[in-house]
Structure formats: C-alpha cells, structure tokens
C-alpha cells in the first residue's frame, strides 16, 4: 500500500504537478495508519503528517476490536495476521508505524475522538507519547464527544481550521485566522498547541 502511495507522489513530482518539498500525508482511520506509515517509513519524502484516529500499533489495535466485530475477526486474522501466533505477532509488529518511531522526524498533527471504539484513543496516545519522547514536533487534539469520525459540525469546523493552519505552516499557502472557528466545539488541545500558528494562547 505504501509503495503505491510513494509511486503516486513520484509520478506527480516527475510531471511537475507536485513540489517534492511540499508533500504532506493526511488520512483518517486506515488513512491515518497510512499517514503514520509515511511518517515512520519514508519521512524524507514528506514535509508533514495529519493523522486522524489512525492505527499506530496493529497488535494493540486488534486487542481492542469491539465484541460486535467478532464475525469479522477471523477474516482480519487472515488478512492482517493472527495475534495469537508468534508468526502473526511478528507480521503485525513489522507493519506497525510505532515499530519505526526512531525514524520519525516530521511535524505531526494527530486528532482523536475520545469515544471511538473502532480505533481507541490509546492508538493515538501511544504514538503521541513516543513522538514526544523523541522530541518530534507533535500536536495532539481531542474531541471528548466524538467517536470514529467527527459528527458535530462545530467539531469538524475546529478540526479543519487547525488542520488548515498546520498545513499552511509546513506546506505553504494561506490560512484564515481562527476567529470563531472553535465556538461550540468540544476541542481539547492536549499537547503541542504552540506548534500551530494561532492555536496557543
């Protein structure tokens, strides 16, 4: 999967569509996993990363799959690897972004709904803790009343306003001042607010 994404970036750069110094990865859920993979496997090819409730550790992710997903679990064990076997755990570990945290250097914005039962908050929190330990610039924002996806318009507005400012800082381009963008939102800036223009203070 990641090879395909890098091939797409190389294609766009090779045709003059994209500036190789202004490439960012942005994704949610599986896309968040993909963004974290870019952050930890090929950081030299990206300027910044936006991870929205992404999977950082496939073993802990599979350990927290909700019971009502039970019928899917056997399929996932075949597709992803069986965490009950040594070979499966090795496979899952090898494909987990957290395994390659020592390679992460680019600024990362991570967003999480605290009621998410598909990708629980621990997936974001262990990544944030590991990034902070290494001194990688990370901004972590949460929404206590959201699950797997930001349903409330006020929360979506707050998230996209912060994302716009973050991307403008690292990729260039314009960003509107926050103004009333956080009004009515449950947004909590857990760490790294000072790294996004206008967010701290």
């Amino acid at each position: 999967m990641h090879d395909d994404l890098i091939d797409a970036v190389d294609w766009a750069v090779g045709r003059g569509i994209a500036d190789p110094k202004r490439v960012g990865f942005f994704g949610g859920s599986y896309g968040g996993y993909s963004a974290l993979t870019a952050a930890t496997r090929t950081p030299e090819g990206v300027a910044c990363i936006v991870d929205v409730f992404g999977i950082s550790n496939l073993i802990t992710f599979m350990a927290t799959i909700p019971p009502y997903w039970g019928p899917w679990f056997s399929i996932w064990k075949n597709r992803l690897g069986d965490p009950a076997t040594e070979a499966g755990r090795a496979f899952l570990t090898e494909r987990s972004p957290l395994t390659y945290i020592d390679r992460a250097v680019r600024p990362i914005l991570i967003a999480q709904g605290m009621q998410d039962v598909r990708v629980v908050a621990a997936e974001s929190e262990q990544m944030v803790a590991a990034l902070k330990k290494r001194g990688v610039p990370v901004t972590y924002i949460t929404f206590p009343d959201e699950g797997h996806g930001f349903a409330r318009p006020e929360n979506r507005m707050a998230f996209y306003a912060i994302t716009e400012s973050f991307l403008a800082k690292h990729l260039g381009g314009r960003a509107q001042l926050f103004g009333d963008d956080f009004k009515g939102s449950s947004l909590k800036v857990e760490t790294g607010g000072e790294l996004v223009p206008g967010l701290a203070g």
Side-chain angles (χ1 to χ4, degrees):
M1 170 273 302
H2 187 62
D3 291 342
D4 290 342
L5 294 174
I6 295 302
D7 285 348
V9 170
D10 291 344
W11 178 89
V13 169
R15 282 156 181 75
I17 297 168
D19 179 348
K21 295 181 180 178
R22 296 172 61 196
V23 172
F25 271 71
F26 179 134
S29 192
Y30 179 84
Y33 164 77
S34 176
L36 292 176
T37 298
T40 56
R41 296 295 279 263
T42 55
E44 66 283 351
V46 296
C48 64
I49 296 92
V50 178
D51 157 40
V52 189
F53 40 81
I55 300 160
S56 63
N57 181 332
L58 288 167
I59 291 179
T60 57
F61 165 70
M62 291 188 77
T64 57
I65 288 175
Y68 66 87
W69 281 17
W72 279 98
F73 197 66
S74 60
I75 296 171
W76 282 23
K77 286 192 292 188
N78 287 330
R79 291 178 179 175
L80 299 177
D82 186 349
T85 68
E86 185 176 342
R89 288 190 298 274
F91 187 88
L92 293 166
T93 299
E94 197 278 327
R95 284 156 180 78
S96 294
L98 205 55
T99 301
Y100 306 96
I101 194 67
D102 60 317
R103 298 182 188 174
V105 293
R106 301 301 187 201
I108 302 182
L109 170 64
I110 297 178
Q112 177 73 44
M114 300 306 284
Q115 295 184 33
D116 196 337
V117 297
R118 296 187 189 180
V119 180
V120 299
E123 289 300 311
S124 291
E125 288 165 357
Q126 61 188 332
M127 178 58 74
V128 170
L131 291 165
K132 288 178 70 174
K133 185 176 180 180
R134 294 200 62 250
V136 177
V138 56
T139 300
Y140 181 40
I141 60 173
T142 62
F143 297 91
D145 56 350
E146 293 287 4
H148 196 67
F150 304 147
R152 292 185 57 231
E154 296 88 348
N155 290 336
R156 289 200 304 272
M157 176 66 79
F159 166 69
Y160 285 120
I162 292 170
T163 301
E164 179 184 62
S165 183
F166 175 82
L167 293 176
K169 176 179 179 179
H170 298 292
L171 300 182
R174 296 176 294 172
Q176 183 173 300
L177 296 176
F178 291 135
D180 292 333
D181 292 336
F182 304 157
K183 186 176 181 181
S185 170
S186 66
L187 168 72
K188 289 184 66 179
V189 180
E190 304 287 353
T191 191
E194 73 281 0
L195 301 175
V196 177
L199 187 57

